[in-house]
Amino acid sequence: MKNKSYIGISFIVLVFGIWAVKEIGERFSKSDLVEIGPVPSFELTDQNNKTITDKDYLGKVYVVEFFFSTCPTICPVMNQNMLEIQNEFYGKPEFGIASITINPEYDTPKVLKQHAEDLGVKHYNWHFLTGDKDYIFNLAEKGFNLYAGQNDKVPGGFEHSGLFALVDKDGNIRCREDQYGNPILYYDGLEEEGVKAIKEDIRKLLAE
């Protein structure tokens, strides 16, 4: 009886060990998200007058957007969707958000701080970033390949993409593939489907 009990216990331990190794392996293995390339380096000032660079986000999964605080069109929608993402991952120190203004002449750190408070921003890794306008436009268009420009003929005086960029813990831009196997590159920050997709993929990157 003792031998049978020993064999039974050994079998249980073996099965549990195999399951644990599998779980650990799945948790820390690379997900199926495509690696687009390294995030462009940047150095900007946040709403607390603190210098923030891309290096400050290393070790974190984060979302990047370009916006401006007085935007009367798509930004309020982007803001609400980003708040939804914040709330989904609130309390996770390995998650962050970078909201970069394309109207830095108006969006000073003081203005951005008030904007963040008005929105209800709570996550300590959500930085609202400002700096030199030409530097930011270059970062958007040449760094991220996301459109941003000044246009006095449109409401608010500026135009920009409504897309969100997703960056992994190693500083690489990542994304899922579409139904045809092509990388989507960025996530739609205006539609529910895009927000749902980026939340799912943030979870994947956090588990890597």
Side-chain angles (χ1 to χ4, degrees):
M1 288 296 293
K2 288 185 178 180
N3 288 339
K4 288 183 179 179
S5 298
Y6 178 78
I7 292 171
I9 294 171
S10 298
F11 177 75
I12 293 171
V13 170
L14 177 62
V15 170
F16 178 79
I18 293 172
W19 174 84
V21 169
K22 182 182 178 183
E23 285 292 306
I24 293 171
E26 288 179 351
R27 178 174 174 79
F28 294 103
S29 63
K30 282 283 186 181
S31 69
D32 58 353
L33 298 181
V34 179
E35 186 175 309
I36 302 303
V39 69
S41 60
F42 60 84
E43 182 175 321
L44 295 162
T45 303
D46 77 356
Q47 70 268 35
N48 296 310
N49 271 303
K50 181 181 178 182
T51 298
I52 299 294
T53 76
D54 55 295
K55 302 298 186 294
D56 290 302
Y57 284 98
L58 286 175
K60 299 178 180 65
V61 175
Y62 66 105
V63 182
V64 180
E65 67 167 346
F66 290 88
F67 85 111
F68 60 108
S69 67
T70 56
C71 172
T73 54
I74 66 174
C75 291
V77 179
M78 296 170 69
N79 288 161
Q80 290 305 309
N81 287 336
M82 197 67 86
L83 280 170
E84 183 180 331
I85 295 170
Q86 171 205 242
N87 294 338
E88 186 79 16
F89 300 99
Y90 182 69
K92 290 187 178 295
E94 67 274 28
F95 174 72
I97 300 172
S99 295
I100 305 172
T101 179
I102 61 170
N103 186 14
E105 293 174 351
Y106 177 83
D107 285 337
T108 62
K110 181 179 179 180
V111 169
L112 291 177
K113 188 174 183 66
Q114 186 61 54
H115 181 69
E117 291 176 0
D118 291 343
L119 282 177
V121 171
K122 299 177 181 178
H123 203 296
Y124 37 83
N125 287 332
W126 188 345
H127 300 281
F128 287 80
L129 302 170
T130 188
D132 177 77
K133 184 170 72 172
D134 291 338
Y135 177 90
I136 290 173
F137 279 13
N138 186 70
L139 177 65
E141 295 189 301
K142 295 182 180 179
F144 283 94
N145 198 29
L146 290 172
Y147 176 68
Q150 190 166 357
N151 185 348
D152 295 334
K153 296 181 180 180
V154 301
F158 292 88
E159 296 177 303
H160 61 96
S161 166
L163 300 175
F164 293 162
L166 179 59
V167 186
D168 69 16
K169 296 174 185 177
D170 296 322
N172 295 308
I173 298 172
R174 302 280 291 278
C175 71
R176 61 174 53 189
E177 295 177 339
D178 64 17
Q179 58 182 326
Y180 305 107
N182 301 311
I184 66 169
L185 301 182
Y186 299 113
Y187 297 78
D188 192 333
L190 299 172
E191 299 295 334
E192 182 180 349
E193 184 178 349
V195 176
K196 179 182 177 182
I198 199 170
K199 288 194 293 185
E200 290 174 354
D201 293 349
I202 289 168
R203 292 189 194 96
K204 290 182 179 180
L205 293 182
L206 287 172
E208 286 188 354

